[in-house]
């Protein structure tokens, strides 16, 4: 009698270059693909509204793709440890595979689950699927992480080249009687009262196939002018790949290898490196979204909050044209040009004198690409002007 493999997807909503899925396929047993919406485990940060919108549509696309390949995407909601254990028991799985996460609470859940499953004789393996270089592989001679990008990226580039992406499966061998799955619509990830997502629908098409199409278009049409035009918000030269990478519809290995051979790719690859850079301080500092990385900022005398100033910033009504244009774009599309993000963040912190954590919370709720590392890290970076620090 066959013993199924369980693939637990998290921020890796794809079938191509998915090491956990490939490990299950190579085991040559039927498999179950599971996604868990965990909003209950200790320390897990609930998703913002724009992220929930993206997740719904990305899961719907992935569900259809996996069905076309011959398996089923099982959706469950609840504490991840309990849900995964329950599905393992339901299907009699003898192996569980996932791609690693790097936030503190997430690592604790994964470690506990790996230990408890292992005690029951179940094979458990995790893989590097979300970062080119995991946090423990790029370290300075002293300290826990690099605090400046240039030496970090120099050290990362000195390591062996990122592995080649794994091929997409042509088919999947699903179990004959898959476990019960939640109805995605029952999760109520989409806004309804009111439905504010019209701009998101007009701007984005989530899902792995759309992500690969966007990558091909960017490499063909925009990469050549990226270094010259990426600092101009009106040029439309950004890759728009950040939400694809955040949700794992594309792996960084795929992006790297498809871009690295293209002339003029160095600047774009450096931006991919900045994405990596943000995850490295999160690993030793899991409270990155609430606690200053530099303790000297703990004593900064933030003035009493003026709610009207914060609301004006959120709504794009500050009277500063570039700030207001960016904030209105953010509300409409769930996205903002990187340089405009820097300007809007600096204005909130250094002109309105509002604690960076207020801005981080707003971006967390309104960005389709907000993740647990890049969003708080970039907000923390914006505070450093007080100490004269620079990238």
């Amino acid at each position: 009698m066959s013993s199924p493999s369980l693939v637990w997807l998290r921020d890796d909503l794809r079938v191509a270059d998915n090491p956990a899925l490939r490990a299950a396929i190579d085991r040559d047993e039927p498999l179950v693909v599971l996604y868990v919406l965990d909003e209950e485990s200790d320390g897990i940060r609930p998703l913002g509204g724009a992220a929930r919108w993206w997740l719904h549509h990305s899961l719907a696309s992935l569900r259809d793709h996996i069905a076309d390949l011959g398996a089923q995407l099982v959706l469950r909601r609840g504490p991840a440890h309990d849900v995964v254990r329950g599905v393992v028991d339901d299907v009699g799985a003898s192996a569980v595979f996932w791609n690693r996460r790097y936030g503190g609470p997430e690592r604790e859940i994964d470690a506990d689950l790996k230990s408890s499953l292992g005690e029951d004789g179940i094979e458990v393996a995790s893989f590097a699927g979300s970062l080119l270089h995991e946090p423990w592989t790029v370290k300075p001679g002293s300290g826990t992480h690099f605090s400046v990008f240039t030496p970090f990226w120099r050290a990362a580039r000195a390591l062996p080249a990122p592995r080649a992406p794994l091929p997409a499966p042509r088919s999947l061998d699903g179990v004959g009687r898959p476990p019960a799955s939640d109805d995605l619509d029952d999760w109520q990830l989409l806004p309804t009262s009111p439905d504010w997502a019209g701009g998101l629908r007009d701007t984005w098409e989530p899902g792995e196939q759309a992500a690969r199409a966007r990558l091909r278009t960017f490499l063909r049409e925009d990469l050549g002018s990226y270094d010259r035009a990426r600092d101009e918000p009106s040029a439309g030269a950004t890759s728009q790949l950040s939400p694809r990478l955040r949700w794992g519809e594309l792996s960084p290995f795929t992006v790297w290898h498809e871009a690295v051979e293209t002339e003029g790719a160095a600047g774009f690859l450096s931006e991919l490196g900045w994405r990596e850079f943000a995850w490295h301080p999160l690993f030793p500092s899991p409270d990155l979204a609430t606690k200053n990385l530099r303790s000297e900022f703990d004593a900064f005398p933030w003035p009493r909050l003026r709610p009207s100033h914060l609301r004006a910033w959120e709504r794009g009504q500050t009277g500063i044209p570039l700030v207001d244009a960016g904030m209105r774009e953010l509300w409409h599309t769930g996205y903002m040009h990187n340089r405009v993000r820097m300007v809007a963040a600096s204005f909130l912190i250094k002109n309105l004198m509002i604690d960076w954590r207020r801005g981080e919370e707003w971006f967390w709720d309104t960005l389709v690409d907000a993740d647990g590392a890049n969003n708080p890290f970039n907000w923390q970076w914006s505070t450093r002007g007080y100490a004269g620090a620079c990238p």
Side-chain angles (χ1 to χ4, degrees), residues 21-65:
L21 181 61
R22 175 54 55 182
I25 293 169
D26 290 346
R27 196 165 172 265
D28 201 25
E29 298 286 358
L31 57 83
V32 174
V33 185
L34 172 69
Y35 180 85
V36 181
L37 179 61
D38 184 357
E39 300 175 299
E40 301 177 37
S41 295
D42 289 343
I44 295 297
R45 188 177 189 182
L47 295 172
R52 291 166 69 86
W53 178 89
W54 191 287
L55 175 62
H56 175 98
H57 292 290
S58 192
L59 286 173
S61 175
L62 183 64
R63 176 193 60 201
D64 295 344
H65 192 183

Side-chain angles (χ1 to χ4, degrees), residues 77-114:
R77 190 173 196 165
H81 183 282
D82 299 341
V83 171
V84 174
R85 283 254 28 162
V87 176
V88 167
D89 293 341
D90 287 348
V91 302
S94 58
V96 180
F97 303 111
W98 62 69
N99 296 314
R100 287 190 281 274
R101 303 184 288 184
Y102 305 99
E106 293 85 353
R107 298 200 320 264
E108 289 183 11
I109 293 168
D110 295 355
D112 289 346
L113 189 56
K114 191 171 189 177

Side-chain angles (χ1 to χ4, degrees), residues 120-185:
D120 290 342
I122 296 169
E123 177 187 354
V124 183
S126 62
F127 305 89
S130 301
L131 296 178
L132 298 172
H133 304 290
E134 295 183 288
W136 53 88
T137 64
V138 187
K139 285 188 175 182
S142 60
T144 58
H145 65 274
F146 283 98
S147 59
V148 179
F149 175 69
T150 299
F152 163 82
W153 193 229
R154 187 183 304 119
R157 293 303 306 270
L159 295 172
R163 63 164 177 79
L166 302 167
R170 294 175 180 267
S171 63
L172 295 173
D173 181 15
V175 295
R177 298 181 63 184
S181 174
D182 291 353
D183 187 319
L184 180 59
D185 289 337

